[in-house]
Amino acid sequence: ILNVEQSPQSLHVQEGDSTNFTCSFPSSNFYALHWYRWETAKSPEALFVMTLNGDEKKKGRISATLNTKEGYSYLYIKGSQPEDSATYLCAPNTNAGKSTFGDGTTLTVKP
Amino acid sequence: ETGVTQTPRHLVMGMTNKKSLKCEQHLGHNAMYWYKQSAKKPLELMFVYNFKEQTENNSVPSRFSPECPNSSHLFLHLHTLQPEDSALYLCASSPVGGNQPQHFGDGTRLSIL
């Protein structure tokens, strides 16, 4: 089981603010990293899969970067909206196919 | 609609009961997973099946017994559970391969009396 840390644990922002949070993981045996969004009363939904050092992925106002050498990924949300309120989970995979989820960052966007 | 269906959505059972959770997917995936999420804890992987064969058991107590009769169906048989087993149980599926995202069901909320 990997030691995966996500920070902050929770975040409250105003509508329109931009925000970012971090996922840290061991850089050895890295294979891929997934970001998921988990809204209340729904199931986790895949946002991004990232594999290469320096990868940058974007989906609307949400983007993510990956640094496999130092073992971290950032998720950015530009101009947060109330519908962005959710828990954001990262899950790095090792080259043995083992995946571990972080505790998540719970984002609340106030209108 | 995620393509992964879990039943029941809610289950209340006594410690001596036997019940089963069901997961079904028709996404053509060959890997299926059971996760547990207890209050204020991260998602914990319980079991992984690839092509109907169990490839991972994350030190799960034997009172949880998984069954994967085919690549589309996954069961979790429950027997003599403890109050600390009360949690949300999520099923997921994916193509086999570490860079493929998982598709999750809505989960079964289990309460042990």
Side-chain angles (χ1 to χ4, degrees):
Chain A
I1 297 179
L2 301 176
N3 182 23
V4 182
E5 295 185 3
Q6 289 191 247
S7 63
Q9 186 175 18
S10 64
L11 198 52
H12 291 75
V13 302
Q14 289 294 133
E15 182 175 354
D17 288 350
S18 294
T19 187
N20 65 85
F21 23 93
T22 308
C23 172
S24 301
F25 52 89
S27 55
S28 59
N29 300 320
F30 174 85
Y31 186 74
L33 182 136
H34 300 269
W35 279 102
Y36 293 87
R37 174 169 59 199
W38 194 358
E39 296 178 63
T40 303
K42 294 186 178 181
S43 54
E45 173 193 355
L47 283 174
F48 304 115
V49 55
M50 311 179 79
T51 54
L52 299 175
N53 184 47
D55 251 359
E56 186 169 340
K57 295 284 178 79
K58 188 174 181 181
K59 188 176 183 178
R61 293 177 291 97
I62 305 177
S63 60
T65 60
L66 178 67
N67 183 322
T68 59
K69 293 183 179 179
E70 296 183 35
Y72 65 84
S73 176
Y74 292 138
L75 190 78
Y76 301 89
I77 302 179
K78 184 178 178 181
S80 303
Q81 299 297 308
E83 58 265 30
D84 296 328
S85 297
T87 295
Y88 292 83
L89 300 168
C90 75
N93 287 15
T94 66
N95 53 17
K98 294 189 181 296
S99 179
T100 303
F101 280 82
D103 289 0
T105 292
T106 298
L107 174 67
T108 304
V109 182
K110 301 175 184 176
Chain B
E1 177 60 51
T2 65
V4 180
T5 304
Q6 288 188 244
T7 54
R9 292 294 304 276
H10 302 273
L11 179 61
V12 180
M13 57 187 284
M15 289 191 284
T16 58
N17 291 157
K18 287 184 182 181
K19 295 286 183 183
S20 296
L21 309 185
K22 180 181 176 182
C23 176
E24 185 173 353
Q25 60 90 9
H26 295 288
L27 298 170
H29 294 164
N30 287 305
M32 296 190 78
Y33 312 79
W34 278 118
Y35 289 90
K36 174 184 178 183
Q37 196 203 26
S38 304
K40 298 185 179 180
K41 288 188 177 181
L43 273 175
E44 298 174 54
L45 180 66
M46 300 175 72
F47 301 103
V48 181
Y49 279 81
N50 287 340
F51 298 100
K52 302 187 298 178
E53 299 297 320
Q54 188 182 116
T55 56
E56 188 155 346
N57 175 337
N58 198 18
S59 302
V60 181
S62 59
R63 57 186 184 269
F64 294 92
S65 175
E67 179 190 0
C68 189
N70 55 63
S71 293
S72 299
H73 294 85
L74 185 65
F75 295 90
L76 188 63
H77 304 299
L78 315 173
H79 176 49
T80 322
L81 295 194
Q82 304 298 309
E84 62 266 27
D85 297 323
S86 298
L88 178 69
Y89 289 84
L90 283 168
C91 172
S93 71
S94 74
V96 172
N99 64 346
Q100 301 294 331
Q102 296 176 25
H103 294 247
F104 286 84
D106 289 336
T108 294
R109 177 71 63 184
L110 176 65
S111 298
I112 306 300
L113 302 178

